[in-house]
Amino acid sequence: MAIRVVPLAPVDSQFFGGRSELVVEAGNLFAVIRALEAIAPGFLKYAQTRAWFSVNGAIEGDWTATIPPDSEVIILPAIAGG
Amino acid sequence: MTEHNPLSQFRVVGTRPVRPDGIDKVTGKAIYGPDHVAPGMIHGAILRSPHPHARIRSIDTSKALALPGVKAAVTGQDLPHLPGKSVSLGEGEADLANLSCNCLARDKALYEGHAVAAVAATSASIAREALKLITVDYEVLPHVIDLEDAARDDAPILHPDLRTQGAEEPSDKPTNIAFTFALKQGDAAKALDGAAAVASGRFAMPPVHQGYIEPHACVASWNADGQGQVWCSSQGPFMVRAVTAGVLDIPVSDVRVTPLEIGGGFGGKTTIYLEPVAMLLSRKAGRPVRLAMSREDVFRASGPAPGLVVDIRIGADAEGNLVGIEADMLYDAGAFPGGGTMLGPLVLSNMYRYPAVDIRTRDAVSNKPSVAAYRAPAAPQITFAIESCIDDIAAQLGMDPIAFRLKNALRPGDTSAMGMECGEIGFVECLDSANAQDHLKAPLGDNEGRGIAAGYWINIGGASSASVSLAEDGSVAVVTGNPDIGGSRASMAIMASERLGVPYEKVRPIIGDTATIGYSVVTGGSRTTFAVGRAVVQACDTIIADMKKRAANVWQVAEDDVEWRNGAVHCTAKGNDNAPMTITEMAENANTTGGPIAAEVSINPHDSLPAYGVHICDVAVDPETGHVSIKRYTVVQDVGRAIHPDYVEGQMQGGAVQGIGWALNEAYIYNSKGCLDNPGFLDYRMPVASDLPMIDTVIVEKPNPAHPYGVKGVGEVPIVPPLAAIGNAVKAATGKRIRELPMSPDRVFAAINGGK
């Protein structure tokens, strides 16, 4: 299943050579992140501690949840509150 | 005036029972961070840099150690060197090298007040005397305090190895710019050039402190078996455990953190300053050690909210539709990277519909204390600029400011510029409610003006644990791992009472230590009643299911033939006349039906919903002095559902008051030597009760479908609108747009008098 991945800064330049969009085959976020780790080694560690993932506009914290085909995954920096 | 018209389908949710922590607090029995005493405890003290930027050539503690009563001394060299190491905090990560260097400077002091050495002695006075005997050989370096100066290419460099993250064209040149982020959609410049109305300007504001009454304090004990214990007040004992273990490079399981009562945090206690130092001193001394900051220490060395300079341009067409926004933001990170850079664009893109967006944001390090979270981090600053411009555009178009906001507000089903889908948000409902307030119709006097402004905050979820257990008499213990900074004990007790059908007074909410309850991220991000509350309700549901199963076994019927209502199990099997069993009876018989009745639930929800608020403010401006006084103030806010409305109103009022202080009074004032000139509440002027009218509150309830009772989160968004609401009111009173904070009398007087 093709998933469109949109890495926002600083992930785009830090891991993906400034690419604004990637397409990976995946059925959940674990598979997305594995695919991205294969492209950019080190991304997995970053993803575990510093990223949030928005799937079709909603933050998804469960990486095992099924992602529908043709979904959009946006990689956001993790956001903390006060 | 308070307005709350609860949807009355609940028995306890939405009522105002007595708070569980009240008696201890008003009788002085509550144990705060600086109060805790451990057997055999000795007293620590910290030596702080008098220079804003200096290389530390050497530190000699030998004379201090020779002073009778001194048991230990430590410097940054006693902490492990941890380059590149970080630790996950659940809602982000902490850079351990920077945290370690902030706790005790390693090679350089990066701000006045930076900790450089510490001692522990048998009395606090001996410890203070010992500090005078420590010799530090400094090489004083050029410093930079001003944010824009820090961002210049020729600025003194704080961290020679710092390179800008997120830059389109990475450079190997040392810089103070830690991070940059850009977001572009459409052609904002073209849209704004063709707009019928445009508002623009440079807005600037300095760092401000959270102003919590209780200073940072802890007691640490590192036992001979390698096990450490820390007692402290914080917004998260698991955060303290993770970063203390991380900075000391020891297993997390070797540190147990017990939370004490917290005397205010507002985001400023989502990090640490003292705990690893107290642990080191304890290990060397073989005794528990207390470290506590003074008020001066708090101002000089703990994290304020970042300052911001932003150039912004927003435009609309002749019909009042926004056409685009440009913003170039520079946040102040203080001594270490992390100025909340991403949060500015998040806020900016989640209020209104903009067809074209061109945003850049950066943060820069400077020789000031490293910034920390403060209620809706980074949002009040950028909202001051946005909502000032929105008001100016409405005025240019001759539109009512609320009608203009309503025309452009994000609604459910919209997608923000950052790709976040808007769920059941209540921005429109807040604007409608504000529009209906009598406040808007009240007459104004001479030199008075009225302003309104809106605000957004994301609210977060995250890892949360709760346990619920029945005592033998059916009373209930609810244990969570989240310190109570805004009424969470009461709200947890209310939700458990509602769910279990037991009286509120029979529920005892407790904040556990890191060894007694599962992991939870900090109390922050307006997340606790939403996320931890959901864990409490799920734990209640688990024991209800357990009791239904036990009742089915007792009655010899199918589980489907047992119902839970009004705090009792009921048998619904046909032809069965079993009397209901109350929760008390179930608890009394627990040991004959399978053992104790208890459940612990750990969850990680991320389907929280943002909060929106709209504030209405009347000011009077004294034309002879420039002094601005608040005459009337109304806070309208969508909270999803108010579990305990007193606390909700208190949060709304408290946030508004902190925002009023930010707008009118508060600023760090540095002298030419880079030293803070106002490190105390006499000179750092926070509002007090006599400065303020009653802050009226209007609770709007548009429930969050992802929470069993509809909670969205309350605590942060009320600090967001006041800066612009007051700015808009001052403009209405004087005709002058003030773009720099605080709007202190001299600044307002100068604006009224053409800069004189």
Side-chain angles (χ1 to χ4, degrees):
Chain A
M1 291 184 291
I3 305 295
R4 195 165 75 90
V5 180
V6 179
L8 298 182
V11 174
D12 54 353
S13 57
Q14 197 170 337
F15 291 99
F16 304 113
R19 292 166 69 182
S20 59
E21 184 178 320
L22 301 96
V23 176
V24 299
E25 293 290 321
N28 62 21
L29 280 176
F30 264 115
V32 169
I33 291 157
R34 267 199 302 271
L36 296 177
E37 170 75 9
I39 296 168
F43 176 71
L44 171 62
K45 185 173 186 311
Y46 181 95
Q48 286 170 330
T49 58
R50 298 177 65 174
W52 277 10
F53 295 88
S54 152
V55 178
N56 298 324
I59 300 294
E60 179 56 79
D62 181 356
W63 292 7
T64 66
T66 301
I67 300 177
D70 304 320
S71 289
E72 178 189 68
V73 172
I74 300 175
I75 306 173
L76 303 151
I79 290 164
Chain B
M1 185 269 291
T2 59
E3 184 181 316
H4 177 228
N5 303 302
L7 307 167
S8 56
Q9 72 245 48
F10 301 114
R11 182 178 55 85
V12 195
V13 167
T15 65
R16 302 170 188 255
V18 173
R19 52 195 287 176
D21 55 324
I23 297 292
D24 275 0
K25 283 181 174 170
V26 299
T27 58
K29 288 183 177 173
I31 304 295
Y32 292 90
D35 301 326
H36 184 74
V37 177
M41 184 187 84
I42 58 175
H43 302 266
I46 288 184
L47 183 68
R48 297 183 180 279
S49 169
H51 309 294
H53 196 191
R55 195 176 317 285
I56 299 170
R57 291 196 188 104
S58 65
I59 302 176
D60 183 355
T61 60
S62 57
K63 288 180 183 168
L65 281 166
L67 185 69
V70 173
K71 301 295 181 186
V74 296
T75 71
Q77 301 304 323
D78 290 296
L79 287 167
H81 192 35
L82 304 163
K85 278 201 168 183
S86 61
V87 61
S88 172
L89 300 179
E91 58 159 9
E93 66 158 9
D95 182 305
L96 289 173
N98 289 344
L99 256 178
S100 172
C101 281
N102 202 30
C103 289
L104 272 178
R106 193 170 182 85
D107 304 311
K108 289 208 305 185
L110 292 168
Y111 52 93
E112 183 222 10
H114 196 163
V116 296
V119 297
T122 49
S123 76
S125 58
I126 293 173
R128 285 194 297 271
E129 284 304 305
L131 293 185
K132 297 175 188 169
L133 300 175
I134 296 175
T135 306
V136 184
D137 182 12
Y138 292 107
E139 175 192 351
V140 177
L141 301 170
H143 65 268
V144 60
I145 299 293
D146 181 79
L147 172 57
E148 290 179 279
D149 288 347
R152 291 160 57 109
D153 285 344
D154 58 352
I157 294 296
L158 273 73
H159 305 279
D161 54 348
L162 181 65
R163 304 292 181 270
T164 307
Q165 273 193 51
E168 280 184 22
E169 294 174 13
S171 164
D172 199 38
K173 192 179 165 202
T175 176
N176 288 332
I177 305 288
F179 187 88
T180 185
F181 170 78
L183 182 67
K184 280 191 180 188
Q185 287 178 3
D187 190 339
K190 187 178 174 187
L192 290 166
D193 289 345
V198 173
S200 63
R202 165 165 286 208
F203 292 79
M205 57 223 80
V208 297
H209 200 272
Q210 302 85 349
Y212 33 80
I213 293 173
E214 176 205 32
H216 297 268
C218 72
V219 174
S221 179
W222 200 334
N223 298 338
D225 62 1
Q227 298 289 304
Q229 286 205 66
V230 176
W231 297 265
C232 64
S233 84
S234 77
Q235 289 178 238
F238 292 92
M239 173 278 297
V240 174
R241 184 181 68 169
V243 292
T244 300
V247 166
L248 295 170
D249 202 19
I250 61 175
V252 168
S253 57
D254 282 355
V255 181
R256 178 178 181 178
V257 178
T258 300
L260 302 173
E261 197 66 61
I262 180 168
F266 313 111
K269 290 176 183 167
T270 57
T271 187
I272 60 156
Y273 300 96
L274 303 173
E275 287 77 1
V277 182
M279 284 280 283
L280 277 183
L281 288 169
S282 174
R283 183 169 63 177
K284 284 196 174 186
R287 306 263 290 268
V289 173
R290 176 197 284 162
L291 277 175
M293 286 191 182
S294 66
R295 179 60 53 191
E296 276 202 26
D297 293 341
V298 170
F299 273 110
R300 292 192 201 281
S302 71
L308 170 70
V309 176
V310 53
D311 288 297
I312 191 166
R313 194 159 70 118
I314 305 177
D317 64 21
E319 285 72 45
N321 301 299
L322 288 170
V323 296
I325 182 169
E326 290 176 338
D328 190 355
M329 295 169 263
L330 179 62
Y331 280 100
D332 195 343
F336 295 97
T341 326
M342 279 303 298
L343 296 166
L346 178 83
V347 172
L348 202 146
S349 65
N350 274 285
M351 294 183 71
Y352 302 109
R353 298 161 168 163
Y354 299 106
V357 172
D358 188 350
I359 303 169
R360 182 175 73 144
T361 179
R362 297 172 293 158
D363 69 4
V365 294
S366 62
N367 293 115
K368 300 197 286 291
S370 192
V371 298
Y374 181 15
R375 248 181 163 145
Q381 298 95 314
I382 187 60
T383 304
F384 173 52
I386 297 168
E387 288 293 285
S388 298
C389 290
I390 290 290
D391 236 47
D392 286 347
I393 296 169
Q396 287 177 42
L397 293 171
M399 288 183 70
D400 173 80
I402 293 182
F404 180 64
R405 285 172 171 85
L406 272 168
K407 195 173 180 69
N408 292 284
L410 285 177
R411 291 163 162 76
D414 285 341
T415 300
S416 77
M418 282 186 74
M420 312 277 277
E421 199 171 278
C422 299
E424 291 299 309
I425 60 173
F427 191 13
V428 166
E429 287 78 0
C430 287
L431 289 163
D432 283 338
S433 175
N435 217 10
Q437 296 304 312
D438 288 342
H439 184 161
L440 287 179
K441 302 179 192 116
L444 292 165
D446 291 343
N447 300 313
E448 292 186 352
R450 175 169 298 139
I452 73 136
Y456 154 90
W457 179 248
I458 183 172
N459 294 343
I460 61 171
S464 305
S465 298
S467 82
V468 174
S469 57
L470 297 190
E472 304 89 296
D473 62 354
S475 57
V476 181
V478 175
V479 183
T480 69
N482 284 86
D484 180 356
I485 61 171
S488 59
R489 273 173 293 199
S491 63
M492 300 306 148
I494 286 175
M495 287 184 277
S497 165
E498 182 76 46
R499 205 65 167 190
L500 294 172
V502 299
Y504 168 83
E505 294 75 18
K506 288 189 76 174
V507 181
R508 177 65 59 189
I510 294 160
I511 300 159
D513 67 59
T514 55
T516 59
I517 183 71
Y519 180 86
S520 285
V521 296
V522 295
T523 302
S526 302
R527 61 170 228 94
T528 306
T529 307
F530 165 73
V532 183
R534 203 155 111 182
V536 167
V537 171
Q538 288 189 21
C540 291
D541 288 346
T542 303
I543 67 169
I544 287 170
D546 183 20
M547 287 187 283
K548 287 170 65 178
K549 185 176 179 185
R550 292 173 191 233
N553 289 338
V554 170
W555 291 328
Q556 295 288 288
V557 299
E559 280 183 50
D560 289 347
D561 290 329
V562 179
E563 275 186 5
W564 179 264
R565 16 176 234 276
N566 301 324
V569 280
H570 297 258
C571 185
T572 59
K574 280 187 180 173
N576 197 313
D577 58 356
N578 290 312
M581 286 189 284
T582 65
I583 193 168
T584 302
E585 291 167 322
M586 294 299 297
E588 286 170 348
N589 295 312
N591 287 337
T592 55
T593 58
I597 298 172
E600 180 168 334
V601 166
S602 293
I603 57 175
N604 189 21
H606 282 276
D607 43 4
S608 51
L609 280 175
Y612 287 86
V614 178
H615 292 199
I616 310 167
C617 171
D618 294 354
V619 301
V621 180
D622 183 337
E624 293 185 359
T625 64
H627 179 262
V628 177
S629 54
I630 306 293
K631 308 302 289 184
R632 185 171 177 181
Y633 204 101
T634 302
V635 178
V636 180
Q637 185 177 325
D638 171 34
V639 305
R641 175 102 62 213
I643 300 297
H644 191 307
D646 277 357
Y647 272 114
V648 169
E649 289 155 1
Q651 291 281 345
M652 291 162 68
Q653 291 166 326
V657 169
Q658 287 183 308
I660 290 168
W662 200 332
L664 294 180
N665 305 325
E666 296 176 36
Y668 278 35
I669 299 168
Y670 283 90
N671 61 31
S672 60
K673 294 175 181 170
C675 298
L676 187 62
D677 268 348
N678 59 336
F681 281 137
L682 281 178
D683 296 316
Y684 183 93
R685 181 71 165 80
M686 299 191 84
V688 295
S690 56
D691 294 324
L692 299 163
M694 177 66 180
I695 306 294
D696 295 328
T697 58
V698 180
I699 295 174
V700 175
E701 292 187 314
K702 184 173 186 183
N704 177 1
H707 186 276
Y709 300 115
V711 168
K712 283 181 177 165
V714 176
E716 289 173 290
V717 80
I719 200 175
V720 179
L723 289 62
I726 293 169
N728 291 339
V730 169
K731 186 179 179 194
T734 65
K736 302 295 181 184
R737 167 63 66 201
I738 297 179
R739 296 184 174 86
E740 196 168 345
L741 297 181
M743 287 176 266
S744 49
D746 58 329
R747 192 165 277 145
V748 175
F749 183 85
I752 296 170
N753 292 281
K756 293 175 195 168

